[in-house]
Amino acid sequence: KKVQISSSTAADASHVFVVFGASGDLARKKIYPTLWALYRDSLMPKGTQIFGYARSKMTVSQLREKCVGTVKAKEGEEDLLEQFWATNHYVAGSYDTQRDFELLNQEMAAVEKGQANRLFYLALPPSVFKPVTSMLKAACMSPTGWTRVIVEKPFGKDSASSADLSDHLQKLFKE
């Protein structure tokens, strides 16, 4: 089954990539360096906006400082790295409070235009997958484009919890 990530027919589409768990080690060591590489190599749709979301209260500058050892520009890429960080936003909130997700939705809507496509990456422990995905469904689905959710491993702690999480996600989202 083919999964559509971007639409070549909607030239005015906007794209938002949200990293849940943005203040954590996985985001610092793997997710943000990968996003930088995709941006640097022009492999993201033009104009993509990146949102970090976590419980920790911080700014994009503080997030950048946290990633200084993993998100690096080679010689001649310094301006491009500045442009990358300029596409970043940060929202602090809980993982189980709908109002915090409504605020994230408002922040995303403020930078979107035309068809608004949203991709949510859950770099979170499995214990919060259910509340986060429930809040996404309730408050953050794209009103005009597609919505995608990526769940980071481990997917539950055993076969039963994995099946439970899979059932939960199937009730919320189409595969």
Side-chain angles (χ1 to χ4, degrees):
K1 192 174 184 180
K2 186 177 177 185
V3 176
Q4 181 180 355
I5 297 214
S6 68
S7 171
S8 58
T9 58
D12 63 342
S14 58
H15 298 83
V16 171
F17 189 110
V18 181
V19 179
F20 280 92
S23 64
D25 278 349
L26 179 62
R28 178 178 57 83
K29 293 177 182 175
K30 300 290 183 187
I31 309 307
Y32 279 99
T34 300
L35 291 173
W36 159 237
L38 291 170
Y39 183 89
R40 179 195 64 216
D41 297 342
S42 300
L43 296 173
M44 280 187 183
K46 192 167 178 55
T48 297
Q49 298 291 302
I50 300 167
F51 280 80
Y53 184 99
R55 292 177 294 203
S56 304
K57 291 191 184 328
M58 63 171 43
T59 64
V60 171
S61 295
Q62 291 169 319
L63 177 63
R64 180 179 181 168
E65 184 60 34
K66 235 181 144 157
C67 294
V68 77
T70 57
V71 178
K72 303 175 188 177
K74 294 178 185 158
E75 189 176 330
E77 295 176 342
E78 296 85 1
D79 287 345
L80 200 55
L81 183 60
E82 292 302 318
Q83 292 169 31
F84 168 75
W85 284 112
T87 69
N88 276 263
H89 311 266
Y90 187 86
V91 177
S94 72
Y95 293 133
D96 59 359
T97 303
Q98 186 163 332
R99 182 69 187 133
D100 291 344
F101 283 79
E102 290 167 354
L103 292 171
L104 171 62
N105 189 58
Q106 289 174 10
E107 294 292 321
M108 290 185 297
V111 302
E112 293 171 330
K113 60 185 185 344
Q115 178 182 326
N117 299 317
R118 297 176 176 179
L119 190 150
F120 299 101
Y121 191 103
L122 278 56
L124 298 167
S127 59
V128 295
F129 286 167
K130 282 175 132 180
V132 168
T133 53
S134 294
M135 292 295 113
L136 286 177
K137 181 68 174 181
C140 292
M141 299 297 284
S142 174
T144 59
W146 50 254
T147 301
R148 304 284 186 266
V149 179
I150 298 173
V151 179
E152 180 63 53
K153 297 184 295 185
F155 197 79
K157 58 184 180 289
D158 55 26
S159 182
S161 63
S162 177
D164 179 52
L165 182 55
S166 188
D167 289 345
H168 172 77
L169 292 173
Q170 285 178 341
K171 289 175 185 165
L172 296 176
F173 308 107
K174 291 184 292 185
E175 193 166 344

